[in-house]
Amino acid sequence: MAKRPAEESLESASDSPASKKARVQDAPDEDLPPPPPSPPPSAESPEPVHTLREHGHANGASRCAKAVQRDAVVDKADADDDDDEPAMGSRKAAPDERYSDLYLDTISRKNMDFDFEKLCSITLSNINVYACLVCGKYFSGRGTKTPAYFHALEVGHHVYINMETKKVYVLPEGYEVKSKSLDDIKVVVNPRFTPEEVRTLDRSREPSWDLLSRKYIPGFVGLNNIKANDYLNVVVQALSHVPPLRNFVMLEDLSARPQLVQRFSTLVRKIWNPRAFKNHVSPHELLQEIGLRSSKKFFLTEQADPVEFLSWFLNHLHLALGGSKTKPRSSLVQQIFQGMLRIESQGITARADAGDRLRFEDAAIKSQTTPFTILTLDLPPAPLFQDDAGKNIIPQVPLTTILQKYNGVTGQEKLNTRMRYRLLHPLPPYLIMHIKRFQPNKFLQSQRNPTIVTFNPRALDVSPYVEPNPQLHPTSEPIAYDLVANITYEGVKVRDDSVEGEAERKVWKVQVREGGDSQQWWEMQDLFVDRVNADLLATKESYIMVWERRKTSAKGKGRAV
């Protein structure tokens, strides 16, 4: 069907709206501001005759220039309306000096929590993330079509901080705020320490106060248990009190390293931050990265074994810091925790002679040297029967007894092989010991050994378990280690079932020592932090111990580094 022709052309339509440019050009002269008075003619600069003839008055040229300028502004406005995203340069670069502190009174520090992963609450993007300093939510971007811009218009929250550059902006105006009153917020986002401040961490124990006037000691703060990540909390607390590792991640620039070591560094600095807004820290960012790298083997929704996580975490920290998979002590992690161990193995064989008597043969002994990061200590079997009083007494064993495994003489049988172990020089600055409490069981998932390990937290001599080497260490001098951190296990009964027995919930705690010559100990379980007596450390079921080697002097006496 043919289209009906228009009865009137579009050009001649009287009700058609005029363009912006036409409306400006058709504006009468009386709407414009009055022209300035013409300057008196002078002999040096007479008024050109052609100007007066062409425009009829002396200000005609200025009126013409103003019209051209208005046309250029309108053309630019039309071009900006056609763009999807106007350039940020068209917005204010700085406010008027009288309004430089505008909107800063709306900032609410009690709503700020920078411990969670930096993701936009709308798009879940981790690129160019800004935090609203009024409500604490994360948004991406600050352009005119970004979630942060719309949040500023709809809700009326105007102050935002870039989580990467730590610059503060006011939206929707878009200018940067440079005020000294915001420095405390930037410190909480990403705490930084000078070498002098790090050196005084173990000497200074001055308390700090959070926004709610709650006192806390930097370095001895609780970690939030989001659901079942207490196994991670105790390991992070223990590692954050190992001075060489702590000082390295607090001072080094790790921006070019993988996210795992960057987030661990941020968490350690927040633990030791003396200007925090709250007296606890959440490990959410580190948990998300660990869950991603471990394919959710270690995640916040399911409890895991601390020693398995510690082994995995130290190995991945070693690789993230540029360590080699084959070369020993190729990173700071291995230089702190890795030692050498000699393992002798001998096969167990037997044959019958003419008298049908079973005779053991002396097989060849194989010896090999292997590096270790964690020493595993085996507990003696727990008693199965009750004593004369009708009770099962919890057995106790000294730590020096279970360390006999590494004296090079005591043998252990594994299947058809007899094994002997001996430590070698040089020993690492820090020894990690794992007391093996859980054994696989055919009927239950694991069976716990409740034997208590008794020890003295000061001056553990490990020289009887090290093969002598006069070139590296005098034979007559002891090798003393002091306890730094002690991770303990506690079983809490949750139900009494006739089939599975009494089910227990695993509770992990960590006991850490104050640095320097102090003998004060702290016990931490998630958000709970309290002092503990050093004499009561051995009353708990120790699971992981971190020992620090003393620096010996010429007389054989030394103190912990």
Side-chain angles (χ1 to χ4, degrees):
M1 180 174 64
K3 296 182 179 178
R4 185 181 62 173
E7 298 178 358
E8 187 177 4
S9 62
L10 295 176
E11 289 78 4
S12 60
S14 60
D15 56 348
S16 177
S19 64
K20 298 178 182 178
K21 185 175 181 180
R23 290 199 298 269
V24 174
Q25 288 179 343
D26 296 341
D29 289 344
E30 55 268 15
D31 295 338
L32 298 175
S38 58
S42 60
E44 289 81 3
S45 58
E47 184 70 21
V49 179
H50 64 85
T51 304
L52 296 175
R53 291 177 180 176
E54 182 178 357
H55 300 287
H57 51 81
N59 200 33
S62 62
R63 279 178 174 270
C64 211
K66 288 181 179 180
V68 173
Q69 185 178 3
R70 288 197 303 270
D71 294 346
V73 172
V74 173
D75 291 341
K76 186 178 183 302
D78 294 340
D80 288 346
D81 290 341
D82 296 337
D83 294 339
D84 293 338
E85 181 71 5
M88 295 299 297
S90 62
R91 302 164 70 182
K92 289 186 178 181
D96 191 277
E97 293 182 358
R98 297 171 295 176
Y99 307 105
S100 59
D101 57 350
L102 192 63
Y103 303 125
L104 295 188
D105 58 338
T106 63
I107 294 177
S108 178
R109 286 170 172 79
K110 65 179 181 179
N111 293 334
M112 300 178 191
D113 192 350
F114 303 116
D115 296 340
F116 290 92
E117 192 172 11
K118 309 304 184 293
L119 295 178
C120 175
S121 59
I122 305 298
T123 63
L124 298 182
S125 171
N126 61 350
I127 301 174
N128 201 18
V129 177
Y130 288 78
C132 176
L133 297 184
V134 181
C135 64
K137 295 182 180 179
Y138 292 151
F139 300 96
S140 60
R142 60 184 179 92
T144 57
K145 293 185 178 180
T146 58
Y149 189 87
F150 286 118
H151 183 71
L153 293 178
E154 296 174 358
V155 185
H157 297 171
H158 299 284
V159 192
Y160 297 81
I161 184 171
N162 188 297
M163 302 306 296
E164 184 67 24
T165 63
K166 313 301 179 294
K167 294 182 179 180
V168 181
Y169 297 90
V170 169
L171 298 182
E173 287 81 358
Y175 58 81
E176 181 182 355
V177 179
K178 298 180 180 179
S179 176
K180 294 293 184 181
S181 62
L182 302 175
D183 290 346
D184 61 333
I185 300 177
K186 297 178 182 180
V187 170
V188 174
V189 173
N190 190 13
R192 291 294 180 183
F193 293 83
T194 62
E196 180 61 28
E197 291 174 342
V198 171
R199 281 193 293 267
T200 60
L201 287 179
D202 294 331
R203 299 195 299 265
S204 176
R205 302 176 187 88
E206 295 296 330
S208 301
W209 283 264
D210 62 0
L211 290 179
L212 300 178
S213 299
R214 294 175 298 189
K215 186 172 69 172
Y216 70 95
I217 305 296
F220 302 90
V221 298
L223 291 180
N224 187 21
N225 187 357
I226 301 174
K227 187 175 182 180
N229 57 281
D230 55 343
Y231 70 94
L232 177 138
N233 292 348
V234 294
V235 171
V236 170
Q237 293 278 20
L239 294 180
S240 64
H241 287 81
V242 176
L245 181 62
R246 177 200 64 190
N247 299 348
F248 177 81
V249 298
M250 291 178 70
L251 294 176
E252 291 294 324
D253 183 13
L254 303 173
S255 58
R257 297 294 183 179
Q259 281 292 320
L260 181 67
V261 66
Q262 290 187 34
R263 298 189 179 190
F264 176 66
S265 171
T266 303
L267 181 59
V268 172
R269 283 185 273 115
K270 288 182 177 180
I271 291 175
W272 289 91
N273 184 18
R275 292 183 286 176
F277 287 168
K278 55 186 185 300
N279 62 350
H280 65 274
V281 184
S282 177
H284 186 269
E285 277 192 295
L286 182 61
L287 271 169
Q288 294 291 338
E289 183 66 19
I290 289 173
L292 178 64
R293 298 302 171 198
S294 64
S295 300
K296 293 191 176 181
K297 179 181 179 182
F298 304 106
F299 203 53
L300 56 89
T301 58
E302 187 175 353
Q303 199 175 49
D305 194 335
V307 71
E308 293 181 3
F309 169 72
L310 177 61
S311 178
W312 180 92
F313 188 60
L314 290 179
N315 183 45
H316 281 72
L317 277 183
H318 160 72
L319 298 177
L321 294 176
S324 172
K325 294 183 178 180
T326 56
K327 185 178 178 181
R329 299 190 178 184
S330 56
S331 73
L332 179 70
V333 175
Q334 290 188 349
Q335 293 172 9
I336 296 174
F337 299 109
Q338 191 179 77
M340 301 303 294
L341 183 68
R342 188 186 55 164
I343 303 176
E344 294 180 348
S345 59
Q346 183 181 21
I348 301 175
T349 59
R351 62 179 179 84
D353 59 1
D356 200 16
R357 292 180 302 175
L358 194 63
R359 299 180 60 184
F360 287 93
E361 297 179 351
D362 294 332
I365 300 176
K366 299 179 181 179
S367 179
Q368 61 176 348
T369 302
T370 180
F372 73 90
T373 304
I374 301 176
L375 284 178
T376 302
L377 305 179
D378 300 320
L379 291 174
L384 298 177
F385 304 101
Q386 296 179 348
D387 60 352
D388 297 336
K391 296 181 179 180
N392 278 330
I393 299 177
I394 299 178
Q396 298 182 8
V397 57
L399 179 61
T400 54
T401 301
I402 58 178
L403 276 173
Q404 296 295 330
K405 172 183 178 180
Y406 296 97
N407 60 7
V409 179
T410 304
Q412 292 185 341
E413 294 184 2
K414 292 185 177 180
L415 298 179
N416 60 344
T417 306
R418 184 184 293 109
M419 312 287 293
R420 287 190 294 268
Y421 305 93
R422 194 72 184 268
L423 300 177
L424 301 177
H425 283 292
L427 291 179
Y430 288 82
L431 270 177
I432 302 179
M433 300 181 184
H434 164 224
I435 300 175
K436 194 173 182 180
R437 292 192 174 276
F438 299 95
Q439 296 287 347
N441 191 287
K442 183 182 296 185
F443 304 100
L444 303 175
Q445 293 183 353
S446 62
Q447 184 175 1
R448 177 175 62 94
N449 191 332
T451 302
I452 298 295
V453 178
T454 59
F455 57 89
N456 187 348
R458 299 284 294 177
L460 173 66
D461 186 13
V462 298
S463 57
Y465 321 108
V466 185
E467 185 172 315
N469 189 345
Q471 297 179 354
L472 298 178
H473 185 80
T475 307
S476 59
E477 290 188 4
I479 305 176
Y481 278 82
D482 296 319
L483 188 64
V484 174
N486 182 34
I487 297 177
T488 63
Y489 167 84
E490 182 178 347
V492 178
K493 298 179 181 179
V494 293
R495 71 177 187 273
D496 187 1
D497 193 282
S498 60
V499 177
E500 298 182 0
E502 295 181 351
E504 291 183 343
R505 179 173 61 90
K506 297 179 180 179
V507 176
W508 302 104
K509 300 180 181 180
V510 60
Q511 300 162 340
V512 294
R513 189 196 67 193
E514 288 186 357
D517 297 330
S518 174
Q519 297 303 313
Q520 180 60 52
W521 284 81
W522 294 80
E523 185 176 68
M524 291 175 280
Q525 177 193 354
D526 299 333
L527 297 178
F528 300 96
V529 180
D530 197 5
R531 298 176 185 267
V532 63
N533 194 336
D535 298 333
L536 302 178
L537 298 179
T539 60
K540 302 292 184 68
E541 298 183 20
S542 300
Y543 193 64
I544 299 175
M545 296 179 174
V546 181
W547 295 83
E548 180 183 36
R549 185 175 180 177
R550 289 185 178 183
K551 286 185 177 180
T552 56
S553 61
K555 295 182 180 181
K557 298 181 180 181
R559 66 177 186 85
V561 292

